[in-house]
């Protein structure tokens, strides 16, 4: 089973940037108010000038933005916000080397969410829904934030304690909450900008997703490479002249190298790449010499081995 992470990253990034502006400039409330002036004729201009002061809000330039989670979306948000003149702080204990290289030098990398909670004027969430991220934004976390904080959640609804958000907005402990996950409890509340899960709702992201899915499946079928599988670890190997590719899918503990050595001989095994799995399922991709016995490889049977593919 494959997924397509990052295919909608730019679409979400753009919506987050819009969310920053919506949270600051009271744009939704201002647009709702302007509709009430319909039918006022020549008075509209004067009424606008008289009433616009109620929608005054701060600029984002120079303000501190905390980005929690520096994956495909978080990095794009951090970099874009830095270019808009924000003072950006990013936190991610699992930041990969690949993503670190993509991060703008203007972004301050911090080791804990606590520092972001305490320092930042705006906080945006970009982490997956896991047991240790569930309701990570709770009453205690909010209490450590600035009372003028503007919180954005375009990641997962389970990351926040909705009651704590509502209480903070009611008692002055938070200025605004922008979310792509509208609920009955949030709709219509002052200080809430709720959207109907628009993060990936662009034709470009849908096209990117479709193309990426096809490429991942083709790469697995033709080359045995696994990228972005939800139930098997990522493994890929470059093709080498004079070799045959062998993919072994298994469950539990399996000594793949020993199985290959026994099947064709250690002298014919050129390279073995074993994936680091977070599930009970494992995958290994190997290169063997072209003269290795393909029937012997295809016939590998052992406890835990699900399938052997000779490509």
């Amino acid at each position: 089973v494959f997924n397509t992470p990052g295919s909608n990253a730019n679409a979400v990034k753009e919506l987050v940037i819009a969310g920053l502006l919506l949270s600051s400039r009271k744009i939704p409330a201002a647009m709702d108010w302007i509709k009430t002036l319909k039918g006022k004729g020549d008075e509209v201009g004067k009424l606008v000038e008289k009433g616009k002061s109620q929608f005054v809000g701060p600029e984002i330039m120079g303000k501190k933005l905390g980005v929690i989670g520096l994956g495909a979306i978080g990095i794009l948000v951090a970099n874009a916000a830095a270019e808009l003149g924000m003072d950006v702080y990013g936190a991610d204990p699992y930041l990969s080397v690949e993503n670190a290289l993509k991060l703008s030098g203007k972004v301050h990398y911090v080791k804990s969410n606590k520092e972001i909670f305490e320092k930042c004027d705006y906080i945006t969430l970009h982490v997956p829904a896991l047991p240790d991220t569930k309701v990570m934004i709770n009453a205690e976390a909010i209490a450590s934030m600035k009372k003028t904080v503007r919180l954005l959640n375009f990641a997962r609804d389970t990351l926040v304690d909705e009651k704590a958000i509502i209480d903070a907005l009611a008692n002055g402990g938070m200025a605004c909450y922008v979310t792509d996950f509208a609920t009955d409890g949030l709709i219509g509340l002052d200080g809430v900008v709720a959207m109907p899960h628009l993060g990936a709702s662009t034709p470009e992201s849908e096209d990117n997703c479709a193309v990426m899915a096809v490429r991942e499946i083709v790469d697995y079928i033709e080359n045995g490479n696994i990228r972005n599988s939800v139930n098997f670890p990522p493994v890929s190997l470059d093709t080498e002249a004079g070799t045959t590719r062998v993919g072994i899918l298994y469950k539990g503990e399996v000594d793949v190298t020993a199985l290959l050595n026994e099947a064709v001989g250690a002298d014919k095994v050129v390279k073995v790449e074993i994936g680091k799995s977070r599930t009970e399922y494992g995958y290994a991709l190997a290169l063997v010499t072209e003269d290795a016995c393909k029937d012997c490889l295809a016939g590998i049977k052992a406890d835990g081995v699900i399938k052997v593919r000779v490509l």
Side-chain angles (χ1 to χ4, degrees):
V1 179
F2 293 91
N3 63 9
T4 55
S7 58
N8 65 353
N10 186 70
V12 178
K13 175 209 76 177
E14 291 185 0
L15 199 62
V16 173
I17 297 302
L20 288 170
L21 298 171
L22 291 170
S23 72
S24 286
R25 301 297 295 273
K26 301 182 182 178
I27 297 169
M31 294 177 71
D32 287 342
W33 176 75
I34 206 74
K35 292 173 185 176
T36 68
L37 304 183
K38 179 68 175 176
K40 300 292 185 180
D42 293 340
E43 294 182 71
V44 169
K46 292 180 179 178
L47 291 170
V48 164
E49 291 304 315
K50 184 178 179 180
K52 68 181 183 181
S53 61
Q54 63 188 302
F55 304 110
V56 170
E59 299 178 14
I60 64 173
M61 185 174 180
K63 304 302 189 302
K64 290 182 172 62
L65 169 67
V67 181
I68 298 178
L70 295 170
I73 297 170
I75 282 179
L76 291 182
V77 170
N79 291 350
E83 290 304 312
L84 288 171
M86 300 192 79
D87 187 13
V88 183
Y89 294 77
D92 189 334
Y94 305 106
L95 179 64
S96 67
V97 173
E98 181 183 3
N99 283 345
L101 292 172
K102 296 176 183 176
L103 195 63
S104 168
K106 298 177 181 179
V107 177
H108 311 287
Y109 180 74
V110 297
K111 295 183 178 180
S112 72
N113 295 340
K114 182 175 181 292
E115 188 170 349
I116 284 177
F117 292 160
E118 294 173 353
K119 280 186 175 181
C120 294
D121 306 295
Y122 299 78
I123 296 172
T124 181
L125 308 176
H126 299 287
V127 298
L130 300 171
D132 59 348
T133 61
K134 187 174 182 180
V135 295
M136 61 184 291
I137 304 300
N138 49 34
E140 182 181 359
I142 294 170
S144 68
M145 300 176 190
K146 296 182 178 181
K147 294 189 181 300
T148 54
V149 71
R150 289 166 166 84
L151 177 68
L152 292 83
N153 180 14
F154 289 84
R156 296 289 187 274
D157 56 347
T158 56
L159 302 180
V160 305
D161 179 342
E162 184 174 300
K163 183 180 182 303
I165 294 285
I166 293 171
D167 289 347
L169 289 168
N171 63 29
M174 179 180 291
C176 186
Y177 177 53
V178 184
T179 181
D180 208 16
F181 309 100
T183 67
D184 187 61
L186 294 172
I187 294 172
L189 281 185
D190 287 342
V192 171
V193 178
M195 302 180 193
H197 207 182
L198 296 178
S201 296
T202 68
E204 293 87 351
S205 67
E206 291 178 5
D207 288 348
N208 291 341
C209 180
V211 170
M212 188 174 180
V214 170
R215 286 176 175 167
E216 288 172 351
I217 293 169
V218 168
D219 195 22
Y220 173 68
I221 292 172
E222 293 184 349
N223 304 310
N225 294 325
I226 290 183
R227 294 183 176 89
N228 302 319
S229 170
V230 300
N231 54 340
F232 281 91
V235 180
S236 62
L237 276 178
D238 292 333
T239 298
E240 294 185 16
T243 63
T244 297
R245 302 169 75 84
V246 184
I248 301 178
L249 298 100
Y250 57 92
K251 183 177 181 180
E253 296 293 329
V254 174
D255 189 340
V256 175
T257 303
L259 290 177
L260 291 169
N261 290 343
E262 183 179 348
V264 297
D267 60 319
K268 297 187 182 300
V269 179
V270 177
K271 186 180 294 183
V272 180
E273 188 73 26
I274 299 173
K276 295 179 180 179
S277 183
R278 293 184 178 179
T279 72
E280 59 185 331
Y281 293 96
Y283 183 62
L285 190 58
L287 300 180
V288 299
T289 58
E290 280 185 336
D291 61 346
C293 174
K294 294 179 176 56
D295 289 339
C296 299
L297 291 165
I300 291 175
K301 295 197 183 332
D303 290 341
V305 173
I306 299 169
K307 184 179 182 66
V308 179
R309 301 180 65 223
V310 181
L311 303 165

